[in-house]
Amino acid sequence: YFFNKHLAVEIATEANSFPIHTAYFGAGLVYWVKPTSFEVQPKELTALQKGRWVLGGGFDLNTSRFKNTNPYYSATARETENDGTLNLQIGKFVKDRTRVGLYLGYSNRKDIETYNNGQKIENYSANYNAGIYLKKYLVPARFTPYVGFQLNYGRAQYKQVTANSCNNTSQSNSYGLGPSLGLAYVISHHFLVEAQLAELNLTHTAESKTWGANLNGGLQSNFSLLYVF
């Protein structure tokens, strides 16, 4: 699908059953060196206009339980895991197709393991993050790629309890920055869907004084539905 004479998004799928069974699905951006005759039809896309606000959020809750019924199994007899996430973002278009904003996130996890000898180990973790971002939508069309840049702060806390006593606690603070790349589709004047394709993060952990880099890519389950007002 061409956004203009040079820039397009390409979606590909492939399957093979010989000599081994494989399947593939991918999406990416393509720059066409030789211009095509395609022209973007002009549209009045008020969702990306200066002065409009964007609000988005989400949550996720998961619970899993494991119970061992084999009396000769000497490891975990029972295990219960609970985890949840909550996130919120708000932004404003400071120019047509240019948005700045703030995001907040929280996640926690509780893992309880009970062994055949009666010992119980409880693990608790919590993560808090906040950041500011900038996004630029590249094409004045309903379907458009975007580039972004974000600055973020994260705090992680961990606690392990064994035999009803607190044995181990730790916490860390990290700072990060980096660019991102994705696709956006304007559903209507009030709704916008985005999917992130790639993200590069440069992080610094304060306690250990270490630096790290992380590159993520792919069309995964990271679609966001945003409300524009």
Side-chain angles (χ1 to χ4, degrees):
Y1 178 88
F2 278 89
F3 303 110
N4 53 35
K5 292 183 178 182
H6 291 280
L7 191 63
V9 61
E10 181 182 64
I11 298 176
T13 182
E14 178 181 321
N16 180 35
S17 58
F18 183 83
I20 59 175
H21 176 72
T22 59
Y24 165 82
F25 174 81
L29 293 176
V30 176
Y31 184 82
W32 210 259
V33 178
K34 183 178 179 181
T36 71
S37 60
F38 177 83
E39 293 184 1
V40 177
Q41 297 296 323
K43 298 180 184 295
E44 188 69 20
L45 302 174
T46 62
L48 305 181
Q49 287 183 350
K50 179 181 177 180
R52 303 210 65 182
W53 289 82
V54 174
L55 182 65
F59 68 94
D60 185 28
L61 299 173
N62 295 287
T63 298
S64 64
R65 292 181 174 87
F66 165 79
K67 183 178 181 180
N68 172 37
T69 58
N70 185 350
Y72 300 103
Y73 187 67
S74 60
T76 309
R78 294 189 307 275
E79 182 176 4
T80 302
E81 293 183 5
N82 297 286
D83 60 79
T85 60
L86 176 66
N87 60 79
L88 175 69
Q89 65 165 298
I90 187 170
K92 184 179 181 180
F93 283 92
V94 293
K95 294 173 58 177
D96 287 353
R97 296 185 285 117
T98 301
R99 186 174 105 224
V100 295
L102 168 72
Y103 64 86
L104 302 170
Y106 168 74
S107 65
N108 66 9
R109 178 177 178 137
K110 178 181 179 181
D111 181 14
I112 301 177
E113 300 178 354
T114 303
Y115 293 85
N116 286 326
N117 59 7
Q119 183 184 21
K120 179 186 290 187
I121 298 178
E122 303 178 24
N123 297 291
Y124 303 90
S125 62
N127 294 275
Y128 308 85
N129 62 81
I132 56 176
Y133 67 87
L134 168 69
K135 283 187 178 180
K136 174 65 177 179
Y137 301 86
L138 301 180
V139 180
R142 184 178 295 273
F143 191 37
T144 171
Y146 71 80
V147 292
F149 188 85
Q150 55 275 342
L151 299 170
N152 57 74
Y153 163 76
R155 180 178 177 85
Q157 297 176 331
Y158 172 78
K159 179 175 69 173
Q160 184 181 74
V161 178
T162 304
N164 299 321
S165 62
C166 184
N167 292 346
N168 184 27
T169 61
S170 64
Q171 61 185 28
S172 63
N173 297 275
S174 61
Y175 307 87
L177 58 87
S180 60
L181 176 68
L183 298 172
Y185 182 77
V186 180
I187 300 177
S188 67
H189 296 301
H190 292 287
F191 288 99
L192 174 68
V193 173
E194 294 181 351
Q196 185 172 284
L197 295 179
E199 180 183 30
L200 174 63
N201 269 322
L202 179 64
T203 60
H204 172 67
T205 303
E207 286 73 15
S208 59
K209 298 181 181 180
T210 57
W211 291 86
N214 185 30
L215 175 63
N216 294 318
L219 189 62
Q220 302 171 351
S221 56
N222 54 5
F223 290 90
S224 300
L225 177 63
L226 306 173
Y227 178 69
V228 185
F229 59 96

PDB file of all heavy atoms in Angstrom, residues 142-155:
ATOM      1  N   ARG A 142      -5.182   8.629   5.526  1.00  0.00           N
ATOM      2  CA  ARG A 142      -5.856   7.867   6.578  1.00  0.00           C
ATOM      3  C   ARG A 142      -4.942   6.777   7.140  1.00  0.00           C
ATOM      4  O   ARG A 142      -4.979   6.473   8.341  1.00  0.00           O
ATOM      5  CB  ARG A 142      -7.148   7.248   6.021  1.00  0.00           C
ATOM      6  CG  ARG A 142      -7.985   6.507   7.053  1.00  0.00           C
ATOM      7  CD  ARG A 142      -9.265   5.976   6.431  1.00  0.00           C
ATOM      8  NE  ARG A 142     -10.131   7.043   6.006  1.00  0.00           N
ATOM      9  CZ  ARG A 142     -11.035   7.642   6.799  1.00  0.00           C
ATOM     10  NH1 ARG A 142     -11.139   7.273   8.057  1.00  0.00           N
ATOM     11  NH2 ARG A 142     -11.788   8.595   6.328  1.00  0.00           N
ATOM     12  N   PHE A 143      -4.120   6.166   6.302  1.00  0.00           N
ATOM     13  CA  PHE A 143      -3.180   5.123   6.699  1.00  0.00           C
ATOM     14  C   PHE A 143      -1.779   5.696   6.561  1.00  0.00           C
ATOM     15  O   PHE A 143      -1.349   6.023   5.449  1.00  0.00           O
ATOM     16  CB  PHE A 143      -3.392   3.896   5.814  1.00  0.00           C
ATOM     17  CG  PHE A 143      -2.671   2.667   6.291  1.00  0.00           C
ATOM     18  CD1 PHE A 143      -2.560   2.384   7.638  1.00  0.00           C
ATOM     19  CD2 PHE A 143      -2.125   1.776   5.378  1.00  0.00           C
ATOM     20  CE1 PHE A 143      -1.899   1.250   8.078  1.00  0.00           C
ATOM     21  CE2 PHE A 143      -1.472   0.632   5.801  1.00  0.00           C
ATOM     22  CZ  PHE A 143      -1.366   0.373   7.162  1.00  0.00           C
ATOM     23  N   THR A 144      -1.044   5.849   7.651  1.00  0.00           N
ATOM     24  CA  THR A 144       0.224   6.561   7.602  1.00  0.00           C
ATOM     25  C   THR A 144       1.242   5.935   8.546  1.00  0.00           C
ATOM     26  O   THR A 144       0.881   5.466   9.637  1.00  0.00           O
ATOM     27  CB  THR A 144       0.030   8.040   7.976  1.00  0.00           C
ATOM     28  OG1 THR A 144       1.312   8.674   8.123  1.00  0.00           O
ATOM     29  CG2 THR A 144      -0.732   8.191   9.280  1.00  0.00           C
ATOM     30  N   PRO A 145       2.510   5.916   8.175  1.00  0.00           N
ATOM     31  CA  PRO A 145       3.550   5.526   9.141  1.00  0.00           C
ATOM     32  C   PRO A 145       3.864   6.700  10.066  1.00  0.00           C
ATOM     33  O   PRO A 145       3.550   7.862   9.761  1.00  0.00           O
ATOM     34  CB  PRO A 145       4.741   5.189   8.249  1.00  0.00           C
ATOM     35  CG  PRO A 145       4.549   6.041   7.046  1.00  0.00           C
ATOM     36  CD  PRO A 145       3.072   6.165   6.842  1.00  0.00           C
ATOM     37  N   TYR A 146       4.479   6.385  11.195  1.00  0.00           N
ATOM     38  CA  TYR A 146       4.900   7.436  12.112  1.00  0.00           C
ATOM     39  C   TYR A 146       6.271   7.103  12.680  1.00  0.00           C
ATOM     40  O   TYR A 146       6.684   5.946  12.736  1.00  0.00           O
ATOM     41  CB  TYR A 146       3.883   7.639  13.243  1.00  0.00           C
ATOM     42  CG  TYR A 146       3.824   6.519  14.256  1.00  0.00           C
ATOM     43  CD1 TYR A 146       4.756   6.409  15.291  1.00  0.00           C
ATOM     44  CD2 TYR A 146       2.819   5.556  14.189  1.00  0.00           C
ATOM     45  CE1 TYR A 146       4.695   5.390  16.219  1.00  0.00           C
ATOM     46  CE2 TYR A 146       2.753   4.520  15.112  1.00  0.00           C
ATOM     47  CZ  TYR A 146       3.694   4.451  16.120  1.00  0.00           C
ATOM     48  OH  TYR A 146       3.642   3.425  17.039  1.00  0.00           O
ATOM     49  N   VAL A 147       6.974   8.139  13.097  1.00  0.00           N
ATOM     50  CA  VAL A 147       8.227   7.983  13.833  1.00  0.00           C
ATOM     51  C   VAL A 147       8.035   8.661  15.188  1.00  0.00           C
ATOM     52  O   VAL A 147       7.282   9.637  15.309  1.00  0.00           O
ATOM     53  CB  VAL A 147       9.423   8.594  13.075  1.00  0.00           C
ATOM     54  CG1 VAL A 147       9.718   7.809  11.820  1.00  0.00           C
ATOM     55  CG2 VAL A 147       9.173  10.061  12.746  1.00  0.00           C
ATOM     56  N   GLY A 148       8.691   8.129  16.193  1.00  0.00           N
ATOM     57  CA  GLY A 148       8.533   8.677  17.526  1.00  0.00           C
ATOM     58  C   GLY A 148       9.847   8.705  18.281  1.00  0.00           C
ATOM     59  O   GLY A 148      10.846   8.101  17.866  1.00  0.00           O
ATOM     60  N   PHE A 149       9.816   9.405  19.399  1.00  0.00           N
ATOM     61  CA  PHE A 149      10.962   9.459  20.294  1.00  0.00           C
ATOM     62  C   PHE A 149      10.432   9.581  21.711  1.00  0.00           C
ATOM     63  O   PHE A 149       9.477  10.332  21.962  1.00  0.00           O
ATOM     64  CB  PHE A 149      11.876  10.638  19.960  1.00  0.00           C
ATOM     65  CG  PHE A 149      13.163  10.628  20.735  1.00  0.00           C
ATOM     66  CD1 PHE A 149      14.241   9.887  20.287  1.00  0.00           C
ATOM     67  CD2 PHE A 149      13.291  11.348  21.913  1.00  0.00           C
ATOM     68  CE1 PHE A 149      15.435   9.862  21.000  1.00  0.00           C
ATOM     69  CE2 PHE A 149      14.476  11.330  22.634  1.00  0.00           C
ATOM     70  CZ  PHE A 149      15.552  10.579  22.169  1.00  0.00           C
ATOM     71  N   GLN A 150      11.009   8.829  22.641  1.00  0.00           N
ATOM     72  CA  GLN A 150      10.502   8.834  24.008  1.00  0.00           C
ATOM     73  C   GLN A 150      11.639   8.885  25.019  1.00  0.00           C
ATOM     74  O   GLN A 150      12.734   8.372  24.796  1.00  0.00           O
ATOM     75  CB  GLN A 150       9.631   7.612  24.280  1.00  0.00           C
ATOM     76  CG  GLN A 150      10.260   6.279  24.003  1.00  0.00           C
ATOM     77  CD  GLN A 150      10.133   5.853  22.565  1.00  0.00           C
ATOM     78  OE1 GLN A 150       9.300   6.375  21.821  1.00  0.00           O
ATOM     79  NE2 GLN A 150      10.946   4.899  22.166  1.00  0.00           N
ATOM     80  N   LEU A 151      11.337   9.538  26.151  1.00  0.00           N
ATOM     81  CA  LEU A 151      12.188   9.556  27.337  1.00  0.00           C
ATOM     82  C   LEU A 151      11.392   8.915  28.462  1.00  0.00           C
ATOM     83  O   LEU A 151      10.227   9.268  28.673  1.00  0.00           O
ATOM     84  CB  LEU A 151      12.557  10.990  27.734  1.00  0.00           C
ATOM     85  CG  LEU A 151      13.343  11.819  26.720  1.00  0.00           C
ATOM     86  CD1 LEU A 151      13.405  13.270  27.162  1.00  0.00           C
ATOM     87  CD2 LEU A 151      14.745  11.258  26.534  1.00  0.00           C
ATOM     88  N   ASN A 152      11.983   7.959  29.195  1.00  0.00           N
ATOM     89  CA  ASN A 152      11.208   7.252  30.204  1.00  0.00           C
ATOM     90  C   ASN A 152      12.034   6.992  31.465  1.00  0.00           C
ATOM     91  O   ASN A 152      13.270   6.963  31.440  1.00  0.00           O
ATOM     92  CB  ASN A 152      10.651   5.934  29.645  1.00  0.00           C
ATOM     93  CG  ASN A 152      11.734   5.025  29.121  1.00  0.00           C
ATOM     94  OD1 ASN A 152      12.471   4.409  29.881  1.00  0.00           O
ATOM     95  ND2 ASN A 152      11.853   4.937  27.799  1.00  0.00           N
ATOM     96  N   TYR A 153      11.286   6.793  32.543  1.00  0.00           N
ATOM     97  CA  TYR A 153      11.854   6.448  33.848  1.00  0.00           C
ATOM     98  C   TYR A 153      11.113   5.229  34.376  1.00  0.00           C
ATOM     99  O   TYR A 153       9.883   5.144  34.272  1.00  0.00           O
ATOM    100  CB  TYR A 153      11.698   7.606  34.834  1.00  0.00           C
ATOM    101  CG  TYR A 153      11.881   7.197  36.279  1.00  0.00           C
ATOM    102  CD1 TYR A 153      13.147   6.943  36.796  1.00  0.00           C
ATOM    103  CD2 TYR A 153      10.781   7.029  37.124  1.00  0.00           C
ATOM    104  CE1 TYR A 153      13.325   6.558  38.119  1.00  0.00           C
ATOM    105  CE2 TYR A 153      10.938   6.645  38.442  1.00  0.00           C
ATOM    106  CZ  TYR A 153      12.202   6.409  38.935  1.00  0.00           C
ATOM    107  OH  TYR A 153      12.372   6.014  40.236  1.00  0.00           O
ATOM    108  N   GLY A 154      11.851   4.294  34.940  1.00  0.00           N
ATOM    109  CA  GLY A 154      11.239   3.082  35.479  1.00  0.00           C
ATOM    110  C   GLY A 154      11.784   2.741  36.846  1.00  0.00           C
ATOM    111  O   GLY A 154      12.970   2.951  37.134  1.00  0.00           O
ATOM    112  N   ARG A 155      10.916   2.207  37.698  1.00  0.00           N
ATOM    113  CA  ARG A 155      11.319   1.763  39.032  1.00  0.00           C
ATOM    114  C   ARG A 155      10.794   0.350  39.246  1.00  0.00           C
ATOM    115  O   ARG A 155       9.597   0.086  39.026  1.00  0.00           O
ATOM    116  CB  ARG A 155      10.778   2.691  40.109  1.00  0.00           C
ATOM    117  CG  ARG A 155      11.162   2.279  41.534  1.00  0.00           C
ATOM    118  CD  ARG A 155      10.634   3.268  42.555  1.00  0.00           C
ATOM    119  NE  ARG A 155      10.936   2.863  43.925  1.00  0.00           N
ATOM    120  CZ  ARG A 155      12.076   3.126  44.546  1.00  0.00           C
ATOM    121  NH1 ARG A 155      13.019   3.815  43.915  1.00  0.00           N
ATOM    122  NH2 ARG A 155      12.286   2.737  45.792  1.00  0.00           N
TER     123      ARG A 155
END
